[in-house]
């Protein structure tokens, strides 16, 4: 069954004036970094290219033909007597749905149709040139980069409590996924930091991941959160994207984690764990982490997890591009909703590949919604690099 795009800008569907659908990007590209804010790019036709837009999309194309522009900004939202919804700060939701699965502001599903949210955010920039307006939409993390936690101080506490304190201070809700808790040192020196930077630092120190999902929900995913498991048939993946490598440079067989309060010389205690068999085989391949962890046990757990996952060369397939034009409806319904931190099993691989199936963690993805195509490129962890 064919899927149709909706680009809802403050509730008005602008899909009919998009030039090339939507370009969406989420997450991260390596296991050593935190996800970046998700964004979506839209290109919209304006009345100076097609005069009828002013009549067909009155809420998104202000003014009669001859209006100077096809958009408005946060300060002046009335051009030639017509109010536009295409403004900086306006909410945007991009979905793909079957004919009976469309959405509106109140009801998410009608009949037995399928509605798949692709992106939720708000407009942060509008760039106009004659004939079109380029719209940049960013997810909920963007707002947190603008929230300063002034004179920020916290007692020693678990990461869950500190994430909750940040959420309260920023006026948002953050969903914690996973059960593992990690104790953090006090933040006893008053400082000013953005809410997003504070969250990313906690996640980095605790082996967690902070990200925003397709519906605009902020997640703090603990290291024991396994996400959802999804299977992607090999025939749904574009063959040219299946580039694999195994490199000695990816090995980490000795890990040092600094933790706890500093001594009089400004040094933290540290734990050092190594895989002696790997060190003997490949030499020392070390990595050091400076953290705000309070307890030796948590530092040891962090080091142990990294050594366990990275002590030996692993096959890596950094990207895999799924084309939904080749996929069945059940596959689309199962795979298209995947999120950062989900696990995927892709296969079978081509007959000459070094393995039959590829199991990995979804680090992020880029998605193209085009009138003639729908593709999603997954950014993947090394083989079997899963919690």
């Amino acid at each position: 069954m064919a899927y149709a795009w909706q680009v809802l800008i403050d509730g008005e569907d602008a899909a009919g004036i998009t030039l090339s659908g939507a370009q969406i990007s989420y997450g991260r590209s390596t296991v050593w970094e935190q996800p970046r804010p998700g964004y979506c790019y839209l290109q919209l036709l304006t009345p100076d290219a097609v005069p009828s837009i002013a009549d067909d999309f009155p809420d998104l194309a202000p003014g009669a033909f001859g209006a100077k522009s096809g958009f408005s900004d946060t300060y002046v939202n009335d051009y030639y007597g017509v109010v536009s919804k295409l403004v900086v700060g306006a909410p945007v939701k991009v979905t793909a749905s079957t004919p009976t699965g469309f959405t509106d502001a109140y009801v998410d599903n009608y009949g037995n149709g399928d509605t798949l949210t692709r992106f939720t955010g708000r407009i942060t920039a509008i760039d106009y040139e004659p004939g079109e307006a380029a719209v940049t939409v960013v997810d909920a993390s963007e707002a947190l980069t603008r929230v300063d936690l002034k004179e920020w101080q916290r007692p020693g506490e678990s990461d869950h409590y500190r994430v909750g304190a940040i959420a309260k201070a920023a006026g948002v809700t953050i969903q914690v996924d996973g059960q593992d808790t990690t104790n953090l040192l006090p933040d006893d020196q008053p400082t000013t930091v953005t809410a997003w930077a504070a969250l990313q630092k906690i996640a980095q120190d605790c082996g967690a991941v902070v990200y925003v999902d397709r519906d605009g929900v902020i997640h703090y995913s603990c290291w024991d959160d396994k996400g959802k498991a999804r299977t992607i048939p090999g025939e749904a993946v574009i063959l040219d994207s299946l580039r694999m490598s195994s490199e000695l440079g990816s090995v980490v067989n000795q890990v040092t984690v600094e933790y706890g309060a500093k001594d009089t010389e400004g040094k933290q205690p540290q734990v050092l764990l190594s895989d002696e068999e790997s060190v003997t085989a490949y030499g020392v391949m070390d990595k050091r982490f400076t953290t705000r962890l309070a307890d030796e046990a948590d530092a040891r757990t962090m080091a142990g997890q990294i050594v366990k996952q990275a002590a030996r060369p692993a096959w890596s397939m950094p990207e895999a591009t799924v084309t939904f034009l080749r996929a069945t409806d059940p596959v689309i319904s199962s795979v298209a909703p995947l999120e950062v931190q989900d696990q995927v099993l892709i296969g079978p691989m081509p007959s000459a590949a070094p393995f039959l199936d590829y199991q990995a963690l979804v680090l992020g993805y880029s998605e193209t919604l085009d009138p003639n195509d729908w593709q999603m490129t997954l950014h993947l962890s090394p083989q079997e690099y899963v919690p």
Side-chain angles (χ1 to χ4, degrees):
M1 184 178 293
Y3 281 76
W5 316 126
Q6 293 81 41
V7 180
L8 301 174
I9 300 177
D10 199 12
E12 296 291 333
D13 190 356
I17 54 174
T18 56
L19 288 174
S20 56
Q23 305 289 326
I24 297 169
S25 179
Y26 271 108
R28 52 185 176 153
S29 55
T30 75
V31 296
W32 305 113
E33 63 184 0
Q34 288 292 312
R36 299 173 294 276
Y39 60 84
C40 173
Y41 290 135
L42 305 168
Q43 284 182 290
L44 308 182
L45 288 170
T46 56
D48 29 16
V50 181
S52 63
I53 287 175
D55 298 320
D56 297 337
F57 298 88
D59 289 315
L60 296 168
F65 178 61
K68 292 183 178 179
S69 67
F71 68 94
S72 57
D73 59 29
T74 51
Y75 304 105
V76 180
N77 62 3
D78 192 327
Y79 283 82
Y80 294 86
V82 179
V83 176
S84 171
K85 291 189 174 183
L86 187 57
V87 297
V88 171
V92 174
K93 192 178 189 74
V94 181
T95 68
S97 68
T98 55
T100 56
F102 65 88
T103 61
D104 63 20
Y106 305 102
V107 183
D108 289 332
N109 187 281
Y110 290 84
N112 296 317
D114 196 13
T115 299
L116 303 169
T117 300
R118 313 317 302 148
F119 192 89
T120 302
R122 66 173 183 172
I123 296 174
T124 58
I126 305 171
D127 297 299
Y128 167 79
E129 62 181 55
E132 66 181 72
V135 179
T136 302
V137 187
V138 180
D139 67 20
S141 62
E142 185 272 340
L144 293 180
T145 66
R146 301 174 183 272
V147 176
D148 284 335
L149 304 177
K150 296 181 179 179
E151 299 296 310
W152 181 249
Q153 288 181 278
R154 293 297 302 174
E157 58 193 342
S158 75
D159 57 336
H160 290 200
Y161 274 103
R162 194 162 296 177
V163 167
I166 293 172
K168 182 177 180 180
V172 299
T173 298
I174 300 175
Q175 179 175 313
V176 176
D177 303 319
Q179 301 300 316
D180 181 70
T181 60
T182 304
N183 293 323
L184 295 168
L185 291 170
D187 281 338
D188 49 11
Q189 298 296 321
T191 187
T192 297
V193 62
T194 68
W196 185 246
L199 285 170
Q200 288 202 311
K201 175 58 176 170
I202 295 170
Q204 193 73 27
D205 284 349
C206 299
V209 175
V210 59
Y211 69 97
V212 180
D213 70 18
R214 297 179 185 276
D215 291 309
V217 177
I218 306 168
H219 292 257
Y220 178 83
S221 174
C222 303
W223 70 263
D224 63 337
D225 173 36
K226 298 182 182 299
K228 294 182 180 179
R230 304 179 188 275
T231 299
I232 303 177
E235 61 268 20
V237 179
I238 294 177
L239 195 62
D240 288 347
S241 70
L242 300 181
R243 292 184 171 88
M244 311 163 200
S245 63
S246 181
E247 300 178 4
L248 188 61
S250 66
V251 170
V252 177
N253 55 27
Q254 181 171 287
V255 174
T256 301
V257 177
E258 298 178 357
Y259 70 96
K262 295 179 179 179
D263 61 19
T264 55
E265 297 180 354
K267 297 180 179 180
Q268 288 181 285
Q270 62 184 37
V271 298
L272 185 151
L273 289 181
S274 61
D275 185 306
E276 294 304 325
E277 183 178 321
S278 175
V279 169
T280 300
Y282 310 114
V284 174
M285 316 282 280
D286 62 337
K287 201 168 185 69
R288 176 179 290 269
F289 298 87
T290 300
T291 74
R292 298 287 295 163
L293 299 179
D295 300 333
E296 178 183 349
D298 288 332
R300 193 169 295 277
T301 297
M302 178 181 178
Q305 285 292 321
I306 295 170
V307 169
K308 177 183 176 182
Q309 291 173 322
R312 285 162 182 77
W315 281 98
S316 176
M317 186 171 69
E319 294 183 350
T321 299
V322 179
T323 173
F324 290 117
L325 291 185
R326 300 181 187 176
T328 63
D329 286 344
V331 169
I332 295 174
S333 296
S334 172
V335 176
L338 68 75
E339 297 281 1
V340 173
Q341 294 298 97
D342 281 355
Q343 298 180 37
V344 293
L345 182 68
I346 304 174
M349 291 287 125
S351 59
F355 38 76
L356 179 63
D357 300 301
Y358 190 85
Q359 183 180 11
L361 193 69
V362 176
L363 305 177
Y365 51 87
S366 303
E367 188 168 355
T368 300
L369 294 97
D370 184 271
N372 301 309
D373 200 1
W374 179 12
Q375 293 186 357
M376 183 162 57
T377 297
L378 308 180
H379 307 301
L380 302 172
S381 72
Q383 169 83 313
E384 297 184 356
Y385 197 102
V386 294

